[in-house]
Amino acid sequence: MDIKAAKSSANILDGRHLARQVRDSLAERIKASGRTINLHAILVGDDGSAALYAQNQERMCSQVGIEYRLHSVDVSRGQAGLVELIQLLNADDQVDAIMMHMPLPDGFDSERMQALIDPAKDVEGVNPANIGNIVYGRRSLVPCTALACMELIESTGISLPGARCVIVGASNIVGKPVAVLLMQAEATVISTNKYTDQLGAITKTADVLVAAAGVTGLVTAEMVKPGTIVIDVGINRVMDDDGTARTVGDVDFDSVSQIAGHISPVPGGVGPMTVAMLLKNTVDAAGI
Ligand code: NAD
């Protein structure tokens, strides 16, 4: 979407612009530290989209001065081979950060593998110890998309204590950590899911509305209070009548942007900020 051309009365939360600012400040931080920082990525098997994502990560890392090392694991090495690699990277003092591309091939226990990553190097925040630390308000590596939502919300200047925040979707990787982070910020938080009754009546009370359900057009204008901050996490592929494929979020942007105070677009909102937060977590994990 051409963000500048989008017609709306809401302020558009431009994730690309914010992400650029984050990258610039990380690049300065790394330069000032005089250190070399690295991110070790694990890719098991030959998933094409994960390989593409890895290329993109490498490019982003090099822009800020992070060394990106991709470890490709042949499926024939099995889960035991993956365990061995994770343990090797955990034990290596020269390794600052570790992330593992998903999905793992059939037969691999993803949750078990994620839980093996050293929490201090777990830059995607997928080890349960990290979400536990968030709950206790301790220093922690937070899942990147949840962190991206928080940065976008905070960029509006809203005072979160007492603000009413409604999260649509309660997955381990997005909805739940966003809810916990907002609770930590002393907001009033309502977590909703696919069983929630009268969703619209609840979302309409929100000062901050985060949509992370993966359902095209789930949030419509009738479900939003005027002036609300709307963060759209959804990534859904839709086909236009002429057969062109497009990426859209969970929010009906055209109608909701007419009444929201701030809105993050899809694409160009949470997505670019998520990648920037991976870089930020890497720099944080390196302790500079
Ligand atoms: P998920 O499928 O793991 O969880 C979806 C959640 O939404 C569940 O809690 C479910 O109960 C809830 N839900 C589903 N339908 C609902 C409905 N009709 N009303 C209310 N709640 C409903 O999904 P996920 O991994 O959290 O991803 C959610 C969306 O966010 C997807 O579109 C995904 O592609 C996108 N996503 C984007 C990024 C990014 O970087 N921008 C990162 C992760 C996920």
Side-chain angles (χ1 to χ4, degrees), residues 227-248:
T228 295
I229 298 167
V230 179
I231 307 296
D232 192 354
V233 184
I235 301 178
N236 310 301
R237 292 292 281 169
V238 293
M239 198 74 89
D240 283 337
D241 290 344
D242 65 0
T244 321
R246 270 187 310 132
T247 302
V248 297

Side-chain angles (χ1 to χ4, degrees), residues 1-160:
M1 175 193 306
D2 179 352
I3 293 170
K4 290 204 177 91
K7 270 196 216 140
S8 79
S9 56
N11 170 44
I12 307 293
L13 299 171
D14 184 346
R16 293 190 182 112
H17 177 71
L18 263 180
R20 214 171 299 125
Q21 286 182 336
V22 171
R23 287 197 301 272
D24 287 349
S25 101
L26 291 176
E28 274 175 30
R29 215 165 122 190
I30 294 170
K31 207 168 162 199
S33 78
R35 270 195 47 197
T36 310
I37 285 161
N38 57 63
L39 167 62
H40 289 248
I42 301 171
L43 177 58
V44 185
D46 49 12
D47 184 279
S49 54
L52 204 69
Y53 181 43
Q55 274 176 21
N56 185 32
Q57 277 184 340
E58 182 165 21
R59 192 169 47 79
M60 292 294 174
C61 281
S62 76
Q63 279 178 14
V64 298
I66 295 173
E67 266 181 33
Y68 183 80
R69 305 214 191 123
L70 183 65
H71 301 264
S72 296
V73 181
D74 199 282
V75 181
S76 64
R77 282 182 67 194
Q79 190 156 284
L82 178 57
V83 170
E84 198 183 320
L85 173 62
I86 295 171
Q87 286 173 343
L88 210 74
L89 296 175
N90 283 346
D92 187 342
D93 288 347
Q94 301 301 311
V95 172
D96 293 313
I98 304 170
M99 64 85 48
M100 187 158 57
H101 287 281
M102 289 289 150
L104 294 179
D106 289 347
F108 285 70
D109 181 342
S110 301
E111 282 184 13
R112 207 187 124 220
M113 294 303 102
Q114 289 175 323
L116 285 179
I117 299 173
D118 179 348
K121 299 182 181 183
D122 168 31
V123 282
E124 290 188 308
V126 291
N127 185 319
N130 272 323
I131 188 109
N133 282 331
I134 304 170
V135 172
Y136 281 90
R138 296 183 191 142
R139 191 183 169 274
S140 170
L141 291 166
V142 175
C144 306
T145 305
L147 208 50
C149 291
M150 291 302 290
E151 292 273 332
L152 286 164
I153 293 167
E154 283 165 2
S155 76
T156 66
I158 188 177
S159 167
L160 281 173

Side-chain angles (χ1 to χ4, degrees), residues 53 144-146 148-149 167-176 191-196 199 211-216 218 223 232-237 248-250 266 269-275:
Y53 181 43
C144 306
T145 305
C149 291
I167 321 301
V168 182
S171 69
N172 289 342
I173 202 71
V174 190
K176 282 184 203 163
S191 165
T192 68
N193 59 55
K194 63 184 170 194
Y195 300 108
T196 300
L199 181 67
V215 179
T216 306
L218 177 63
M223 297 165 71
D232 192 354
V233 184
I235 301 178
N236 310 301
R237 292 292 281 169
V248 297
D250 289 353
V266 177
V270 174
M273 278 301 281
T274 295
V275 183

Side-chain angles (χ1 to χ4, degrees), residues 149-150 153-154 156 158-167 175-191 205-210 229:
C149 291
M150 291 302 290
I153 293 167
E154 283 165 2
T156 66
I158 188 177
S159 167
L160 281 173
R164 198 174 166 95
C165 303
V166 176
I167 321 301
K176 282 184 203 163
V178 171
V180 173
L181 288 168
L182 287 166
M183 282 165 69
Q184 279 299 126
E186 297 182 300
T188 301
V189 182
I190 300 175
S191 165
T205 66
D207 301 313
V208 176
L209 175 58
V210 179
I229 298 167

